[in-house]
């Protein structure tokens, strides 16, 4: 005969068995014999997201930094202008270069005057100039977006040649091998950045 206590015990055992079945594969809640095998480990479900909690944005989906993009473009334009200027130095002429693509009319006029002096003195430049430009100020929110670039120009590898003799000419003794340049780069109505100011300071070594 089954007593009330035995019924209660069996009912509790069935409840425990039902809970275990949810966590492991079948086989452990019967008679508990030695032939029962352990089941595979249960995977833990990811934590539930609280209702109303906004999803966290990943870094890969973050919007690009407009100031960082502008700074990259400013340095690209300045470096391209410096490379085209060196091309002009090798022939004492801006013909065949893209200086006008990167230098505004005022800067281009100053470069043209410098090239005219080189032609008058019958000189050209060989070698190369080293550059270490960096953006020190950037204002993309102004009506005329503007950047300030500081550069350390290294002229230790350049040579000034006399076009009549082909011999190199010594640099002036009061000129440092490296000097500071400050440049202004602006973005006009066309959306393109151009160098609008170029101010070398030979009295400031760097």
């Amino acid at each position: 005969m089954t007593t009330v206590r035995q019924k209660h015990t069996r009912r509790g055992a069935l409840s425990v068995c039902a809970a275990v079945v949810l966590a492991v594969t079948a086989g452990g809640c019967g008679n508990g014999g030695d032939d029962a095998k352990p089941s595979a480990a249960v995977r833990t479900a990811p934590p539930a997201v609280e209702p109303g909690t906004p999803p966290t944005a990943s870094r890969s989906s973050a919007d690009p930094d407009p100031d960082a993009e502008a700074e990259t473009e400013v340095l690209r334009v300045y470096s391209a202008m410096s490379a085209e200027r060196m091309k002009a130095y090798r022939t004492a002429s801006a013909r065949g270069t893209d200086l006008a693509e990167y230098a505004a009319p005022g800067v281009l006029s100053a470069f043209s005057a410098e090239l005219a002096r080189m032609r008058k003195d019958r000189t050209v430049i060989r070698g190369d100039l080293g550059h270490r430009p960096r953006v020190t100020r950037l204002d993309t929110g102004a009506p005329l977006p503007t950047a300030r670039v500081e550069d350390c120009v290294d002229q230790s590898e350049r040579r000034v040649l006399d076009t009549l003799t082909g011999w190199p000419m010594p640099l002036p003794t009061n000129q440092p091998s490296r000097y500071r340049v400050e440049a202004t780069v602006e973005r006009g109505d066309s959306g393109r950045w151009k160098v609008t100011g170029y101010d070398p300071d030979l009295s400031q070594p760097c």
Side-chain angles (χ1 to χ4, degrees):
M1 182 179 70
T2 304
T3 65
V4 175
R5 182 175 183 181
Q6 288 174 327
K7 288 181 180 180
H8 178 75
T9 303
R10 291 176 61 186
R11 189 179 298 114
L14 289 174
S15 299
V16 173
C17 184
V20 172
V21 168
L22 295 177
V24 298
T25 57
C29 211
N31 55 14
D34 295 335
D35 293 337
K37 296 181 180 180
S39 62
V42 180
R43 293 186 180 180
T44 303
V49 179
E50 291 292 333
T53 302
T56 303
S58 62
R59 290 183 180 272
S60 59
S61 63
D63 294 333
D65 184 353
D67 282 352
E69 290 184 345
E71 182 173 336
T72 299
E73 181 63 11
V74 165
L75 290 175
R76 186 193 72 81
V77 168
Y78 177 84
S79 298
M81 184 217 68
S82 299
E84 294 301 311
R85 187 183 181 208
M86 193 64 210
K87 287 182 184 178
Y89 280 160
R90 293 189 176 103
T91 61
S93 173
R95 186 176 303 172
T97 72
D98 292 329
L99 264 174
E101 293 291 320
Y102 306 108
V107 174
L108 189 60
S109 177
F111 288 165
S112 297
E114 185 179 18
L115 295 170
R117 286 194 298 270
M118 291 176 64
R119 290 193 298 271
K120 181 180 178 181
D121 296 338
R122 300 187 300 273
T123 59
V124 292
I125 293 179
R126 295 292 184 265
D128 211 344
L129 294 175
H131 294 275
R132 289 189 299 174
R134 61 188 182 94
V135 176
T136 58
R137 183 172 60 83
L138 179 65
D139 187 359
T140 57
L144 181 63
T146 305
R148 171 73 68 177
V149 175
E150 286 187 5
D151 190 10
C152 181
V153 178
D154 186 350
Q155 59 178 349
S156 59
E157 297 299 322
R158 82 162 190 170
R159 298 292 181 269
V160 179
L161 300 183
D162 186 324
T163 56
L164 289 181
T165 66
W167 287 95
M169 303 174 63
L171 290 175
T173 56
N174 60 342
Q175 268 193 29
S177 60
R178 292 189 299 271
Y179 60 91
R180 191 184 307 274
V181 169
E182 287 191 356
T184 303
V185 188
E186 297 176 344
R187 187 175 66 197
D189 295 336
S190 65
R192 297 183 59 187
W193 291 89
K194 283 195 172 186
V195 179
T196 58
Y198 189 85
D199 184 19
D201 190 350
L202 299 179
S203 66
Q204 289 292 326
C206 54

